[in-house]
Amino acid sequence: MKKCVLIYNPNSGKGRARVEKNIEKIKQKFFLHGYELEVIPTKYKGHASSIVKELKNIDLVVSIGGDGTFNEVMNGNFKRKNKILLSHIPIGTANDLGNMFGYGKNLLKNIDLLLNGSVKNIDICTINGQPFSYCAAFGNFVNISYETPRSLKKKIGYLAYLVTGFKNLLNKNKIYDVEYKVNGKKYKNSMSFVIMSNSSSVAGIKNLYKNVKIDDNVFEVLICSFNKKIEIIKILYYLFSRKIYKSSYFKCYKTSDFKIKFKNNGIYKWSIDGEKYETNNICDIKIEKNLEMIIPNKNISTLFKVQ
């Protein structure tokens, strides 16, 4: 019988209650698909990465939690010499990965989708060598993803991000002078924020980009520039109506290699898969490795170039 380790974040959404309440049903489902299941809860930030890095003789690792939980599992896997097949079931607040793959809200039904899914290779991006599974972002409002209190997310869910975002409106709008290189061309510009992603769902916005493929060896870059706070209303309109290609506020690219340099030296705080990541003023983002995952069959025809 094959061996599977299920790693779940008890602090993600209602993770502890949803997993522990159904633990025997979960084990039975994996058993019927030929897996002996071991269940491990995370105890601290970075724990999932440490667990995966040290696993031996395991055929499959499944993470249950938010996007950040899967990021830890993926990072632990990249530190291994022998990579393990991965999968992910969302029970967090935003769940961009879960939305992209076609998961719903029911944990047990999601497990069925996973176990009856297909193994696919997914492009993984890195920023200065640090891998991220679907999104890296910097600039105004990006801090919302990692500064929204966990306690508030548990109480009101996705609305917690909107509350934190509203508070951010009181902050001064920052403009960053940058140089960047994309698809062999160099640019100098000012920007308010930048998003690099390999996903059809970003910041809870489904289908933000047209025709996203997550195995085509390119990722999407979105650079936004605005000067006045009042313009954020227009920015939100174009984002949530998926009309970024029709607005002069945005520059959109598809690329496999994107370099950005901030004019001023210092430490810059990014959001990587919803978690804080600090780096210097020079960032090199590229596709370096493929990730082998089991995902539901539901959206494969639209997400993958190679069927």
Side-chain angles (χ1 to χ4, degrees):
M1 182 169 281
K2 294 179 289 186
K3 293 184 178 181
C4 174
V5 169
L6 188 154
I7 299 172
Y8 76 96
N9 182 354
N11 295 311
S12 183
K14 298 180 180 179
R16 182 182 297 277
R18 293 175 70 182
V19 173
E20 295 181 1
K21 177 182 177 181
N22 295 288
I23 192 66
E24 294 305 320
K25 292 180 181 179
I26 293 171
K27 287 184 176 181
Q28 180 67 11
K29 286 180 179 292
F30 276 89
F31 179 80
L32 292 176
H33 281 79
Y35 287 101
E36 177 184 343
L37 184 66
E38 179 182 2
V39 180
I40 306 175
T42 58
K43 297 180 180 179
Y44 52 85
K45 185 177 178 62
H47 189 200
S49 181
S50 298
I51 294 170
V52 175
K53 183 181 176 181
E54 301 301 327
L55 289 175
K56 296 180 180 179
N57 302 318
I58 297 298
D59 300 287
L60 172 65
V61 173
V62 177
S63 65
I64 294 184
D67 298 328
T69 303
F70 180 69
N71 180 280
E72 288 191 18
V73 168
M74 179 193 67
N75 271 273
N77 202 36
F78 277 164
K79 294 174 183 177
R80 297 176 55 90
K81 181 179 180 180
N82 299 314
K83 304 297 185 290
I84 306 174
L85 178 65
L86 302 182
S87 193
H88 175 66
I89 293 177
I91 54 171
T93 306
N95 295 327
D96 282 308
L97 279 175
N99 290 332
M100 177 173 67
F101 292 147
Y103 285 113
K105 299 291 185 181
N106 187 291
L107 175 59
L108 295 178
K109 289 182 179 180
N110 283 341
I111 289 175
D112 288 334
L113 289 174
L114 182 162
L115 291 171
N116 291 290
S118 301
V119 177
K120 303 295 290 184
N121 284 319
I122 296 173
D123 295 333
I124 291 297
C125 303
T126 62
I127 175 169
N128 290 350
Q130 178 74 16
F132 57 94
S133 60
Y134 81 98
C135 182
F138 174 86
N140 292 276
F141 301 100
V142 167
N143 60 306
I144 293 171
S145 63
Y146 56 78
E147 288 186 355
T148 300
R150 190 180 298 275
S151 57
L152 188 61
K153 289 191 287 186
K154 284 189 174 183
K155 287 181 180 179
I156 61 175
Y158 186 77
L159 288 175
Y161 291 116
L162 300 181
V163 172
T164 305
F166 180 78
K167 292 179 180 179
N168 268 241
L169 288 173
L170 303 176
N171 297 334
K172 183 179 179 181
N173 182 45
K174 295 182 179 179
I175 302 295
Y176 301 91
D177 292 323
V178 297
E179 297 178 2
Y180 63 91
K181 182 178 180 181
V182 59
N183 295 328
K185 295 183 179 180
K186 295 181 179 181
Y187 302 87
K188 287 186 178 181
N189 207 341
S190 60
M191 71 171 197
S192 302
F193 63 80
V194 58
I195 301 173
M196 289 82 64
S197 63
N198 188 43
S199 173
S200 61
S201 179
V202 180
I205 305 173
K206 297 180 182 179
N207 302 315
L208 176 62
Y209 303 106
K210 298 177 181 178
N211 195 32
V212 169
K213 303 296 181 185
I214 59 176
D215 65 339
D216 59 359
N217 201 41
V218 296
F219 55 92
E220 283 66 36
V221 177
L222 178 67
I223 296 176
C224 179
S225 300
F226 61 93
N227 296 314
K228 300 177 181 179
K229 279 188 179 180
I230 191 65
E231 292 177 287
I232 192 62
I233 298 174
K234 294 181 180 179
I235 298 298
L236 292 174
Y237 165 76
Y238 284 113
L239 285 172
F240 283 93
S241 62
R242 291 88 171 171
K243 295 181 178 180
I244 55 176
Y245 299 98
K246 297 181 179 181
S247 170
S248 60
Y249 288 111
F250 299 98
K251 291 181 174 63
C252 306
Y253 306 95
K254 283 181 176 289
T255 183
S256 60
D257 192 355
F258 176 72
K259 295 179 175 65
I260 184 168
K261 179 181 180 181
F262 294 88
K263 180 179 179 180
N264 298 319
N265 293 328
I267 301 299
Y268 289 82
K269 296 179 181 179
W270 290 71
S271 172
I272 292 186
D273 293 342
E275 302 295 329
K276 183 168 69 173
Y277 172 72
E278 295 183 345
T279 187
N280 59 25
N281 66 313
I282 301 175
C283 295
D284 186 2
I285 302 94
K286 61 180 64 177
I287 290 178
E288 291 192 352
K289 301 176 181 178
N290 287 332
L291 175 69
E292 193 173 54
M293 289 187 68
I294 300 179
I295 66 169
N297 293 318
K298 182 177 179 180
N299 293 338
I300 282 179
S301 61
T302 58
L303 287 175
F304 289 87
K305 181 179 180 181
V306 180
Q307 302 300 318

